[in-house]
Amino acid sequence: MKRILTGDRTTGKLHLGHYVGSLQNRVRLQDEYDTFIILADIQALTTHFEQPELINNSIYDVAIDNLSVGLDPNKITMFLQSKVSAIAELTVFYSMLVSVNSLRHNPTIKTEAKQYGYDDLSYGFLGYPVSQTGDITFCNADLVPVGEDQLPHIEQARKIVRRFNNLYGRGQAIITEPEGLISNTPRLIGLDGNSKMGKSAGNAIYLSDTTQEVNAKIKSAVTDKNRISLRDKGNPDICTVSKYHEVFNYSEYQNICEMCRNAKIGCVACKKLLAKKINSILDPFRDKRTYYEEHKDEVRDIILDGSKRANIVGNETVEKVKRAMSIHIE
Ligand code: TRP
């Protein structure tokens, strides 16, 4: 069976953007692939090192988010990054094969540095794509389902792997070169219509939001600002709610746009339709979430068992890597 490795930083709850960007693909592919889900608590430190409690509390949040959308603990291996020392070891070896300049030019590093207001980057933050290569390769993942913002990191990982294999493989691939898998759903904008949905932007619908929270958030979503009364014709092209209909309510999307353009549906009704649709998607997740919230011990065991397996797999990889690099004594 081929392998998948993907996951999330433990810096807060996951939202609908994560769901359409990556989680949905994980759920779909878990039967076909041996799936590893990383709870990236070390990578979380690269930006949140001053908030260790937040990172720690988010471990359960992110684990339960993943389980609630339908990842099956009997099929997947969910593990905590900090428990797998192979990742840290591989990171050190790989760090020799990456230039500082190539990291500086990584578009996602640039965007995030701006977003967090960094002018002088920490070594750990600048180097997190190298550590992420450790995440991906400790289990020799074939496929990495991620949001499009992660593509530069996959490209970086592929480069490191190729370089490693060329240098140390003596014609053989020691490490598997991974491939990215990007969701074909358009990237979800925030409820404010301005930017991408994000934890920090305060414009997100969380997988853990209640029905009432979803209703209230959608009610306040930004629509076509020029449409003041019900009789005005609307322009769905500049309406956040219409973008959401496109993603979550595709079968009615064309029809709703048509009605909006002809002033046959008002924003209130249109938002209600969307809220209903999104709640109907979230309802089954809510049932699973309730179960796991009430069985935290089970979640703990899932993570600890997963980490054990990840360690076995990772130690094998490190042994192979060290042998290839002649890091041993006879
Ligand atoms: N950087 C990813 C994100 O911000 C999270 C992540 C950490 C990841 N390690 C990974 C994703 C390995 C895919 C593979 O979403």
Side-chain angles (χ1 to χ4, degrees):
M1 221 182 190
K2 288 196 166 191
R3 281 204 175 132
I4 277 178
L5 179 294
T6 187
D8 315 278
R9 293 162 13 110
T10 54
T11 52
K13 304 173 288 184
L14 303 183
H15 52 61
L16 281 178
H18 293 113
Y19 180 66
V20 297
S22 177
L23 268 59
Q24 218 174 7
N25 271 335
R26 301 176 193 176
V27 175
R28 182 170 63 83
L29 295 169
Q30 64 179 329
D31 296 316
E32 280 169 63
Y33 286 82
D34 182 15
T35 299
F36 283 72
I37 303 293
I38 186 169
L39 303 165
D41 59 339
I42 302 281
Q43 192 181 111
L45 286 169
T46 63
T47 51
H48 289 62
F49 61 94
E50 287 169 314
Q51 291 155 269
E53 295 84 12
L54 169 83
I55 295 176
N56 190 267
N57 292 334
S58 301
I59 293 170
Y60 278 99
D61 285 342
V62 174
I64 293 177
D65 282 334
N66 271 283
L67 294 168
S68 74
V69 298
L71 282 173
D72 181 344
N74 295 312
K75 291 181 189 151
I76 61 155
T77 302
M78 185 187 284
F79 67 97
L80 194 58
Q81 186 184 25
S82 59
K83 287 210 169 284
V84 181
S85 53
I87 294 173
E89 289 189 65
L90 293 174
T91 303
V92 175
F93 299 143
Y94 294 157
S95 71
M96 317 304 161
L97 310 179
V98 186
S99 80
V100 171
N101 272 338
S102 76
L103 292 167
R104 280 218 184 96
H105 290 128
N106 179 307
T108 298
I109 289 283
K110 279 200 210 164
T111 312
E112 289 174 350
K114 207 183 265 169
Q115 181 191 327
Y116 288 104
Y118 301 153
D119 45 5
D120 188 13
L121 306 186
S122 79
Y123 172 55
F125 175 77
L126 180 67
Y128 92 72
V130 185
S131 157
Q132 190 157 323
T133 304
D135 301 343
I136 294 168
T137 59
F138 87 87
C139 64
N140 284 296
D142 301 280
L143 197 66
V144 189
V146 280
E148 61 176 350
D149 60 316
Q150 296 296 302
L151 266 190
H153 301 338
I154 310 289
E155 222 20 75
Q156 180 65 261
R158 287 164 63 83
K159 270 194 196 138
I160 292 174
V161 169
R162 283 200 289 267
R163 188 122 192 254
F164 185 94
N165 287 336
N166 279 336
L167 271 170
Y168 304 116
R170 296 176 194 86
Q172 261 191 325
I174 311 288
I175 306 280
T176 307
E177 188 175 326
E179 254 178 76
L181 176 72
I182 304 301
S183 155
N184 50 17
T185 311
R187 186 163 95 174
L188 211 56
I189 53 170
L191 291 163
D192 52 8
N194 289 326
S195 48
K196 78 168 184 175
M197 187 173 274
K199 296 171 198 170
S200 36
N203 60 6
I205 296 175
Y206 292 98
L207 296 169
S208 48
D209 280 348
T210 62
T211 309
Q212 293 73 22
E213 283 168 325
V214 169
N215 290 343
K217 283 181 180 180
I218 292 177
K219 202 171 164 191
S220 69
V222 173
T223 53
D224 171 4
K225 291 198 182 85
N226 302 319
R227 191 174 185 202
I228 293 153
S229 96
L230 198 58
R231 273 159 297 153
D232 298 336
K233 292 183 175 178
N235 181 1
D237 296 343
I238 53 169
C239 172
T240 314
V241 175
S242 107
K243 302 277 187 298
Y244 280 55
H245 275 296
E246 184 178 6
V247 173
F248 296 105
N249 191 19
Y250 193 70
S251 64
E252 290 184 280
Y253 169 62
Q254 298 291 352
N255 192 21
I256 288 168
C257 288
E258 191 63 25
M259 290 198 291
C260 171
R261 285 187 205 285
N262 295 303
K264 295 232 167 73
I265 186 172
C267 292
V268 174
C270 178
K271 284 175 168 178
K272 278 195 179 146
L273 278 178
L274 178 69
K276 199 166 160 214
K277 186 73 198 182
I278 288 183
N279 278 320
S280 78
I281 295 169
L282 292 179
D283 275 338
F285 303 168
R286 289 173 177 140
D287 293 343
K288 286 214 181 72
R289 171 177 306 277
T290 306
Y291 174 84
Y292 285 113
E293 296 281 2
E294 287 168 2
H295 296 81
K296 281 225 168 136
D297 283 0
E298 218 172 287
V299 179
R300 186 167 189 273
D301 287 344
I302 291 166
I303 299 170
L304 292 181
D305 290 349
S307 302
K308 219 180 262 172
R309 177 170 183 233
N311 264 306
I312 294 169
V313 171
N315 289 341
E316 274 171 28
T317 305
V318 168
E319 278 314 306
K320 248 172 60 185
V321 160
K322 282 185 165 176
R323 217 174 304 129
M325 294 178 77
S326 297
I327 303 179
H328 61 80
I329 56 167
E330 296 302 338

